[in-house]
Each structure stands twice: as structure tokens, then as C-alpha cells.
């Protein structure tokens, strides 16, 4: 049986056993958002240390796509310099919004490429990533 | 062959499906099982043709000018008003064309509050079943006029707590605004009882009838509500068609909703006086084609007869609920007595978010609604962020419901591991038949 283009095993695995689920204690950054159309909710908390995302976690409820995307986000950006985390979020957004081919280093992020074929679900996959990008962009501007 | 009085004797769903161009759209590349009529129904060709005919033969602005086409347009518009009024057994002077139920309820809230009918010492009563369109308009007026808002609570199975309703239908309540049929649960509220209780206490009653008119005859004289809101697009009519009906003496005493052309008597910069009903509430150029289309939809329903529609939909709902109840991983919301679930049913696949269910159904060509259904207070009552909802109409078949059953089996296969983790239902509303 060919693998499902949307509900790939890796996504179902992240959705049912999310990584970095919860909140980071004494977080330097917290942000939360919701999708008013479907009620997906994500709260991100992370610690920035020496210009890097030293720890990150997410909490929330929602569909498998929104929860798997948040789990994959945490896996992908933990330990990265904040500038690289932002670049990562931008590549992810480009993959889903503009249809850009996933980059080699995107690993599990690329598993969400199939969401692009489901316009109503793109916002589910982007919820956590947009929260991270907006927060990092705001911080970048405040440092300018 | 003997003649039969059975309401379905002359009802052939395959014949009815021929009336709906979208169900026979040769450009489609995928099958379609449309189980989302509670969001909007599909439109029969007679409705589309009536609108086309208006634009081809009678288009001009209404209630203005003295030319032939202006007269033709006005005549068709007013004919539509009388046709819809007859459909609802309502006084046509109180029948106002609006875009949809939402606009109708905003009209009532604004018209009463602005004229001084709702003040800081007053209370408006709603229910936990309400669609946001019967909550937010009252909140908007409350921000200006300061009255209180209370909601009739529900029993765990989603039915109204009538003891609490009785307590709330007393001073300082001035108005009850309530749904006739839940868009989420498909349950019908005991409206005549509520109206009698309210009127005994001198309380006005506004009804959100959007989900009732698609499934059963509604009679204004029999119901005796003070205001009735409905959308045409849920009853085989066009989008942008809706009505507010109100008792003429009440509408006469209310403030206008929108100001502009058509709704005035005389205008000076000092003072403006209002037109007579119903023009007082129809500011600006109306959507004449939508009104004409809605009148054609009334003709269409009467040609099928409500009796036959009800019998057909009852059969469909039995088939649908039997299918859902037979799947061990499905939670159905609403009363145990499945006969009380009319036209639409909400459910969840245990442990799976409704949006995932909706996407997989769509891949099978099955259109259902998923989400909070513009009823966030009701979702909180049910203890879920969202539900999936399947709804029926005259053109729905057993095959459509069987396709939903196949799609749900696919959900179970994709999310199998998740579902087995949720063997004990989280919802307090588990009422599975043994």
C-alpha cells in the first residue's frame, strides 16, 4: 500500500506521541495562538541562551497536523542559533505556502509537505511555526 | 396496484436529484456525497432559473421610477414577499427581506434596543444551544445599553433545562431569543411551551428558525412568536436571501436598522420620518433576484411537500444514526432517544480531531461539516473543541450515508492506534445503545 500523502506514519507518530510536550520552566519567551476556524491552540515556550534556542516545548490541543507540526518544530529548532531557527521557520512556510521543495536538512519537517495539497489544512501546519517566526521576527526588530 | 396514502408514495429521490444541477455536474472528477446541507443546501434548477428569468426579463430598481421594467421588478419582488409570507402563514406586512438569519437577528436586537426597549435594568435570555449569530448581536447592543444577558442551561444530553428556563422567564427579562432547532445536535426546542411561558410573563420571543424551516412546516400564526429569523440558502433558496418576520405592531414601534433610500417618508436635515412597513426595514436596493429565488424555493418545497421531505429525512436519519451507533469508535452527541435528532447529527471519532475526520471524508468525496459550528458555548458544554456533523436533505440517499460509513472506517484504519488508546470515552455525553 502506498504511503498516505497526508497522514504519513511519521506525522501520526508525532501526533500521538508528541516530543517536547509541556512548558519550559522559567522560559525567556512564551507565545500562544489559536486558529479561530477550527479551534487549534498552541502555546510555545522556550529559553534563549547565548543566542541559541537552548530549550523549547509546546502545549495545546488540535488536529493531528497542528500537533505534529508543533512537535516537529521543537525537534527541529532546539539547539539552533535564533537566526537559524527563524530561517528554518521561513523555509517551512515557503514549502507550504509557495510550494518550494523541502531542503535537504529539513528531515521530519519535509514529512509535512503533503499538507500543501489540502488548502484548508495549511493553517493547521503553520500555527506553531508562525508563532515562532513572529516572535523571533519581533525580537530581531527590537535588536535593530 | 393499490393507491397509497404513504407520504413517500410519490417520492423518488433519484428523480429529485435530477432537479439539482450540482449533483449532476459532469465536470466533476470525484464522487460527491453532500452531507452538509445544514451549512447550505444545494439549489434546484427552478430556483436558478427563476433568478435568471428575473434578470433577463424584469431587472430594474424597485419602488422607484414609473417605467415598465421598474413596475415589473417591483411586482416580482412584492409577489416574492407574499409567496414567502404564505409559505410561513405570516402577515406579509411584517415580512422583511434580509441577507440571512444573522442579519435578521441583528435587526431585531438593534431595532428594539435603539428604540429604548432594552435598558440597563432589563435582561435578555438566550440558551447554551445558540449559534454565535444569536449571541453576538445581543452583546453588541449590551455594550451600548447595558442590559444583562443570561443563557438557559442544558442537561448533559443537550436538551434544555426547562426548570431553569421557567426561572429565567420572569422579571427583569424583557426578551427571549432562542433557536428552534440546534444546528449542532439536530434537537428541536419546545418552542410553543417556551413562547407560552414567556408571553405569560410579558416577555417577547425572537426565534432563530434557520435550521427548522429546511425540515418542517413552520406556521407563524400557530407558533405565535414575536419575531422569526430564517435563511433562504438553507431551504433550497439562493445565498443572500433571508427573512425577518415580526408582528407588524412591534416592528412599527421599533427603530429602523439601516438608514438610507427606500426606508424613509420625508427627509430634511433636521428630521427624517420613516416609511411604512415593511420598507422601513429595507434600506437601499434589495437583492430582488434572491427574493425571487427564495419564492421559487417555497414553490419547490411545496411541490415535494413537507410531509414527504420529513418522511424521507426520518428514514435517512435512522440509517445514519444506526450506522454511527454500530461503530464502536464513534461518540454521538445528543439525546439517547435518537428520534429526537432531526436533520443533522454531531459525532466524533474517539481520540481523533474532527478536522482529521473531515479531511479523510473529503478524500472519499463525502462533504461534512467539522469544527465548532459557530457554537463555542455549546462545544464547552459538550466538553469538546469540535465535532463532525452530517446533515441530510431531500436529495440525500442511503448511498451517501454508506459512503460516510466507508470514510469513517478509513479514519479508523489510519488512526487505529490512537483510537485504541481512547477506549474509554472522554465525553460525559456517551449514550451508546447497548
Amino acid at each position: 500500500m502506498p504511503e498516505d500523502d497526508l497522514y504519513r506514519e511519521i506525522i501520526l507518530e508525532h501526533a500521538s506521541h508528541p516530543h517536547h510536550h509541556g512548558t519550559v520552566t522559567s522560559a525567556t519567551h512564551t507565545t500562544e495562538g489559536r486558529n479561530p476556524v477550527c479551534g487549534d491552540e498552541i502555546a510555545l515556550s522556550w529559553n534563549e541562551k547565548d543566542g541559541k534556542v537552548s530549550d523549547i516545548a509546546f502545549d495545546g490541543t488540535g488536529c493531528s497536523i497542528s500537533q505534529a507540526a508543533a512537535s516537529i518544530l521543537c525537534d527541529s529548532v532546539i539547539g539552533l542559533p535564533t537566526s537559524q531557527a527563524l530561517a528554518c521557520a521561513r523555509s517551512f512556510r515557503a514549502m507550504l505556502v509557495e510550494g518550494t521543495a523541502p531542503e535537504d536538512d529539513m528531515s521530519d519537517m519535509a514529512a509535512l509537505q503533503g499538507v500543501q495539497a489540502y488548502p484548508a489544512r495549511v493553517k493547521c501546519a503553520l500555527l506553531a511555526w508562525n508563532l515562532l517566526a513572529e516572535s523571533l521576527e519581533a525580537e530581531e526588530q527590537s535588536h535593530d | 396496484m393499490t393507491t397509497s396514502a404513504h407520504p413517500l408514495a410519490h417520492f423518488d429521490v433519484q428523480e429529485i436529484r435530477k432537479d439539482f444541477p450540482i449533483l449532476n455536474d459532469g465536470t466533476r472528477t470525484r464522487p460527491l456525497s453532500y452531507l452538509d446541507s445544514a451549512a447550505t443546501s444545494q439549489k434546484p434548477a427552478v430556483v436558478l432559473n427563476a433568478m435568471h428569468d428575473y434578470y433577463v426579463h424584469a431587472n430594474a430598481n424597485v419602488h422607484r421610477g414609473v417605467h415598465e421594467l421598474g413596475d415589473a421588478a417591483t411586482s416580482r419582488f412584492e409577489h416574492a414577499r407574499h409567496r414567502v409570507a404564505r409559505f410561513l402563514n405570516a402577515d406579509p406586512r411584517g415580512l422583511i427581506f434580509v441577507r440571512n438569519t444573522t442579519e435578521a437577528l441583528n435587526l431585531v436586537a438593534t431595532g428594539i434596543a435603539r428604540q429604548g426597549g432594552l435598558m440597563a435594568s432589563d435582561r435578555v435570555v438566550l440558551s447554551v444551544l445558540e449559534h454565535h449569530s444569536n449571541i453576538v448581536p445581543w452583546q453588541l447592543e449590551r455594550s451600548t445599553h447595558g442590559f444583562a444577558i443570561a443563557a438557559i442551561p442544558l442537561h448533559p444530553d443537550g436538551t434544555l433545562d426547562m426548570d431553569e428556563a421557567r426561572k429565567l422567564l420572569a422579571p427583569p427579562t424583557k426578551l427571549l431569543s432562542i433557536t428552534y432547532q440546534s444546528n449542532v445536535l439536530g434537537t428541536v426546542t419546545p418552542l410553543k411551551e417556551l413562547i407560552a411561558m414567556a408571553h405569560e410573563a410579558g416577555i417577547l420571543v425572537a426565534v432563530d428558525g434557520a435550521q427548522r424551516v429546511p425540515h418542517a412546516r413552520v406556521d407563524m400564526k400557530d407558533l405565535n412568536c414575536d419575531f422569526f429569523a430564517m435563511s433562504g440558502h438553507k431551504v433550497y433558496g439562493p445565498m443572500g436571501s433571508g427573512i425577518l418576520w415580526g408582528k407588524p405592531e412591534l416592528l412599527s414601534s421599533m427603530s429602523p436598522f439601516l438608514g438610507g433610500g427606500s426606508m424613509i417618508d420625508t427627509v430634511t436635515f433636521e428630521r427624517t420620518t420613516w416609511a411604512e412597513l415593511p420598507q422601513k426595514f429595507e434600506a437601499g436596493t434589495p437583492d430582488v433576484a434572491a427574493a425571487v429565488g427564495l419564492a421559487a424555493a417555497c414553490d419547490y418545497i411545496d411541490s415535494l411537500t413537507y410531509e414527504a421531505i420529513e418522511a424521507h429525512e426520518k428514514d435517512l436519519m435512522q440509517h445514519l444514526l444506526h450506522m454511527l451507533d454500530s461503530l464502536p469508535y464513534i461518540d454521538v452527541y445528543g439525546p439517547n432517544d435518537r428520534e429526537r435528532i432531526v436533520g443533522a447529527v454531531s459525532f466524533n471519532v474517539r481520540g481523533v480531531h474532527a478536522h482529521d475526520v473531515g479531511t479523510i471524508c473529503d478524500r472519499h468525496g463525502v462533504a461534512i461539516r467539522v469544527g465548532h459550528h459557530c457554537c463555542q458555548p455549546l462545544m464547552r458544554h459538550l466538553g469538546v473543541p469540535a465535532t463532525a456533523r452530517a446533515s441530510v436533505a431531500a436529495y440525500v440517499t442511503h448511498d451517501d450515508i454508506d459512503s460516510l460509513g466507508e470514510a469513517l472506517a478509513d479514519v479508523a484504519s489510519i488512526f487505529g492506534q490512537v483510537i485504541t488508546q481512547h477506549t474509554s470515552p472522554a465525553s460525559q455525553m456517551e449514550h451508546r445503545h447497548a
Side-chain angles (χ1 to χ4, degrees), chain A residues 18-135:
Chain A
H19 305 171
H20 308 282
H21 195 260
T23 48
V24 168
T25 46
S26 57
T28 54
H29 296 77
T30 57
T31 174
E32 56 183 67
R34 60 200 318 269
N35 190 332
V37 180
C38 49
D40 291 344
E41 288 179 340
I42 295 284
L44 281 180
S45 56
W46 78 94
N47 266 325
E48 186 184 330
K49 200 176 167 192
D50 304 327
K52 286 184 175 173
V53 180
S54 62
D55 196 8
I56 184 163
F58 83 98
D59 203 355
T61 55
C63 67
S64 64
I65 303 300
S66 70
Q67 303 301 299
S71 174
I72 290 167
L73 178 151
C74 294
D75 274 354
S76 305
V77 303
I78 194 163
L80 288 186
T82 53
S83 59
Q84 273 187 41
L86 180 57
C88 201
R90 285 173 175 162
S91 306
F92 184 79
R93 192 152 48 182
M95 177 179 81
L96 288 190
V97 177
E98 287 143 39
T100 316
E103 291 161 31
D104 290 343
D105 59 353
M106 283 171 83
S107 63
D108 282 6
M109 288 163 65
L112 284 156
Q113 194 190 7
V115 178
Q116 217 220 333
Y118 298 83
R121 305 302 299 278
V122 168
K123 63 192 183 316
C124 308
L126 285 178
L127 179 56
W129 288 91
N130 278 343
L131 284 171
L132 179 71
E134 282 160 19
S135 184

Side-chain angles (χ1 to χ4, degrees), chain B residues 5 12 31 49 67 81 88 96 102 207 227 230 243 253 264 287 323 331 392 403 432:
Chain B
D12 179 347
N49 293 343
H67 54 70
R81 189 188 313 279
L88 297 169
I96 296 151
T102 298
V207 175
F227 302 98
M230 63 168 276
I243 65 120
S253 70
I264 54 88
D287 192 335
M323 182 269 283
D331 290 324
V392 300
S403 297
R432 183 163 311 288

Side-chain angles (χ1 to χ4, degrees), chain A residues 4-7 12 16-17 36-38 40 62-65 118 121, chain B residues 353 355-357 359-360 363 371-372 376 385-386 414-415 417-418 421:
Chain A
D4 195 305
D5 62 337
L6 179 64
Y7 294 109
L12 295 171
S16 54
H17 301 103
V37 180
C38 49
D40 291 344
C63 67
S64 64
I65 303 300
Y118 298 83
R121 305 302 299 278
Chain B
H353 194 279
H355 275 80
D356 292 317
V357 176
T359 291
I360 293 169
R363 299 201 302 201
H372 53 59
Q376 288 180 359
I414 291 170
F415 284 91
Q417 213 192 337
V418 181
Q421 284 167 13

